[in-house]
Amino acid sequence: MQIETKKPILSTAPKKNWRWTVVIWLIIGGFINYLDRANLSIAAPQMMKELNLTKTDIGLLGTVFSWSYALMQLPAGWLIDRFGTKKIYSIAVLWWSMATLMMGLLNKLPSFIIVRLLLGAGEAPCWPTGAKITSYWFPKKERGFATGLWDSSSKWGPAIAPPLLVTIMLAFGWRSLFYITGITGVLFAIAFWIFYKNPKYSRKLSKEEFEYIQSEGAGFEENLISSKIKWRSLFKYKTVWGMILGFFCTIWIWNIFLVFLPLYLVEVHGVTLQQLGIYASIPWVGGIFGAIFGGYLTKKLVDRDITSPVNAKRMLISICAILAAIVVIFVPFVDSLTMKITLFTLALCFISAITGSAWALAGDIAPPSMVASVGAIQNFGGYFGGALSPVIAGLIVDKTGSYSLAFISGGIIAGCAAICYWFLVKNPIQERTEL
């Protein structure tokens, strides 16, 4: 690969900002990705009634998805870094959209398990692709904010999904949820393949803006061929293990919310399906705010020379992890629906600030040729361990008849993310020599 000469760092952003339109692709893709995940939680009440499924069964479907999603992170990151974002992402969106369509055709739990495994495998490249694209479209000081914007799509999906999908389900049945979102994904995959361009090939990008992007080492999509570090050596770094363990703590409670929040509102507070569309979406609005504002805050900390890009993200993650723990642990101790919705909203706000900064951190920690790999390894840790949380939460509820222990334990685990990111994630990976 051609090595570009290093450009001087430009402190002033250019007048034209075409680079920010790239975030739109990532937001749309992430939104579709999470619509396909949210289908299960919305369809669960009708699926349980029609197909005689239990809460443990629903939790198991959430778990097998997470395990497949987690395991496929490792090859997904490698494939993206090796063959490029455009090719792998287009194939992935098409794959997971077809798996979504198939969910609407099945009737038996074993068949659902197989398709959820396929869905997890197909969705694996989505977020590592976002981290990689951000790393070569934006200078380091803007990556936190750009990542917060596209990572908010993981909250737009669950926020918009309840009112949208409940309306569709009440009109056409639970199977229609999978048909409609699956077809939407197929259309997006085709559009991405046709229209997305890397900075080097974009005709819309001005020379001034391209030089600004290059000023901190971005501008070109580097691949593993040019790397001086072998992929397997990434697991020798303490920083990488801190990211793995920290994301595990975060995704544990995230998966509980994603799978069980609608069901919790229906069973514990008697929320009807008509009301569910509103009540289940409100907490995810807090998630949208947390992802965007968290990224914006890290950008301002760097702009004002208060701290480095890496330390700004570590600081935000640690503070938000502690706050998320406190809020989640309080959930079982309040009775009113209004207070619980408020606590859920705050919790998702803090958790979303963590996930956005964690994904942006991959671009700061990893060499340019390995951003997708490091981001995917972090995500692997989060979802491989976090995959246990839905089935364990389901078992707790089935055995005790209460969600209290699930929330309290989840809050404690979420708080441990602060320890991992603050004490273990410190030094960027240097690409000077092979370990």
Side-chain angles (χ1 to χ4, degrees), residues 197-268:
K197 306 292 182 185
N198 281 350
K200 183 177 178 180
Y201 304 106
S202 175
R203 296 180 180 179
K204 300 288 187 180
L205 200 61
S206 68
K207 180 181 178 182
E208 179 190 16
E209 187 174 8
F210 188 44
E211 289 179 349
Y212 174 73
I213 293 171
Q214 286 183 276
S215 67
E216 292 185 2
F220 296 90
E221 182 176 5
E222 298 188 28
N223 60 41
L224 285 174
I225 296 174
S226 65
S227 178
K228 297 177 181 177
I229 301 176
K230 293 185 186 298
W231 183 90
R232 64 177 179 271
S233 296
L234 292 172
F235 289 94
K236 296 180 180 180
Y237 289 90
K238 183 174 72 172
T239 289
V240 172
W241 279 102
M243 295 171 73
I244 290 173
L245 295 173
F247 217 57
F248 157 76
C249 296
T250 305
I251 297 303
W252 183 278
I253 189 62
W254 173 270
N255 276 352
I256 292 176
F257 283 149
L258 191 64
V259 175
F260 283 107
L261 182 56
L263 199 59
Y264 173 81
L265 294 175
V266 170
E267 292 193 341
V268 176

Side-chain angles (χ1 to χ4, degrees), residues 157-179:
I160 296 178
L164 176 63
L165 298 183
V166 165
T167 300
I168 294 172
M169 185 172 67
L170 291 175
F172 304 107
W174 64 267
R175 296 181 188 274
S176 64
L177 305 183
F178 301 104
Y179 298 147

Side-chain angles (χ1 to χ4, degrees), residues 95-392:
W95 177 307
W96 91 56
S97 299
M98 295 306 296
T100 299
L101 279 166
M102 291 174 63
M103 279 289 291
L105 300 173
L106 306 175
N107 295 291
K108 302 294 184 180
L109 181 63
S111 300
F112 285 130
I113 290 174
I114 292 171
V115 173
R116 290 289 288 186
L117 288 170
L118 292 174
L119 180 68
E123 290 200 353
C126 185
W127 258 246
T129 296
K132 181 80 170 184
I133 288 177
T134 304
S135 73
Y136 62 76
W137 265 99
F138 295 90
K140 287 184 179 180
K141 63 183 179 181
E142 293 182 345
R143 289 176 193 170
F145 186 37
T147 302
L149 289 173
W150 61 255
D151 185 61
S152 72
S153 63
S154 63
K155 294 81 187 172
W156 282 107
I160 296 178
L164 176 63
L165 298 183
V166 165
T167 300
I168 294 172
M169 185 172 67
L170 291 175
F172 304 107
W174 64 267
R175 296 181 188 274
S176 64
L177 305 183
F178 301 104
Y179 298 147
I180 292 173
T181 53
I183 292 171
T184 302
V186 171
L187 295 176
F188 174 76
I190 295 171
F192 185 82
W193 177 257
I194 294 173
F195 296 109
Y196 173 77
K197 306 292 182 185
N198 281 350
K200 183 177 178 180
Y201 304 106
S202 175
R203 296 180 180 179
K204 300 288 187 180
L205 200 61
S206 68
K207 180 181 178 182
E208 179 190 16
E209 187 174 8
F210 188 44
E211 289 179 349
Y212 174 73
I213 293 171
Q214 286 183 276
S215 67
E216 292 185 2
F220 296 90
E221 182 176 5
E222 298 188 28
N223 60 41
L224 285 174
I225 296 174
S226 65
S227 178
K228 297 177 181 177
I229 301 176
K230 293 185 186 298
W231 183 90
R232 64 177 179 271
S233 296
L234 292 172
F235 289 94
K236 296 180 180 180
Y237 289 90
K238 183 174 72 172
T239 289
V240 172
W241 279 102
M243 295 171 73
I244 290 173
L245 295 173
F247 217 57
F248 157 76
C249 296
T250 305
I251 297 303
W252 183 278
I253 189 62
W254 173 270
N255 276 352
I256 292 176
F257 283 149
L258 191 64
V259 175
F260 283 107
L261 182 56
L263 199 59
Y264 173 81
L265 294 175
V266 170
E267 292 193 341
V268 176
H269 289 280
V271 173
T272 65
L273 283 178
Q274 289 82 357
Q275 296 171 324
L276 184 63
I278 300 299
Y279 286 123
S281 66
I282 292 173
W284 297 101
V285 175
I288 295 168
F289 177 82
I292 296 174
F293 183 73
Y296 177 78
L297 185 58
T298 59
K299 179 179 182 297
K300 286 299 179 184
L301 289 173
V302 177
D303 285 344
R304 296 178 181 179
D305 293 324
I306 295 174
T307 187
S308 67
V310 171
N311 287 336
K313 297 174 183 68
R314 290 174 58 235
M315 187 185 307
L316 182 78
I317 289 171
S318 300
I319 293 172
C320 287
I322 294 170
L323 293 175
I326 294 170
V327 170
V328 173
I329 290 170
F330 264 101
V331 167
F333 301 102
V334 298
D335 296 323
S336 77
L337 177 59
T338 300
M339 280 301 300
K340 288 199 175 183
I341 292 293
T342 301
L343 291 176
F344 286 141
T345 302
L346 288 172
L348 282 169
C349 176
F350 298 134
I351 294 168
S352 299
I354 295 172
T355 60
S357 292
W359 276 109
L361 197 58
D364 295 338
I365 291 293
S369 61
M370 307 186 84
V371 172
S373 294
V374 171
I377 288 171
Q378 175 180 238
N379 212 24
F380 160 77
Y383 278 89
F384 187 75
L388 295 171
S389 66
V391 71
I392 289 177

Side-chain angles (χ1 to χ4, degrees), residues 6-60:
K6 188 175 181 180
K7 303 288 183 180
I9 295 178
L10 306 178
S11 59
T12 305
K15 294 180 180 179
K16 292 185 178 180
N17 293 290
W18 179 256
R19 66 195 181 282
W20 292 99
T21 64
V22 175
V23 175
I24 297 174
W25 284 111
L26 301 178
I27 289 175
I28 295 173
F31 175 71
I32 295 171
N33 183 290
Y34 264 81
L35 274 183
D36 292 340
R37 299 190 201 188
N39 278 338
L40 177 63
S41 64
I42 298 299
Q46 285 196 3
M47 289 176 68
M48 290 169 64
K49 183 178 181 180
E50 180 180 325
L51 304 176
N52 295 317
L53 300 176
T54 66
K55 297 182 190 68
T56 302
D57 294 333
I58 297 299
L60 178 61

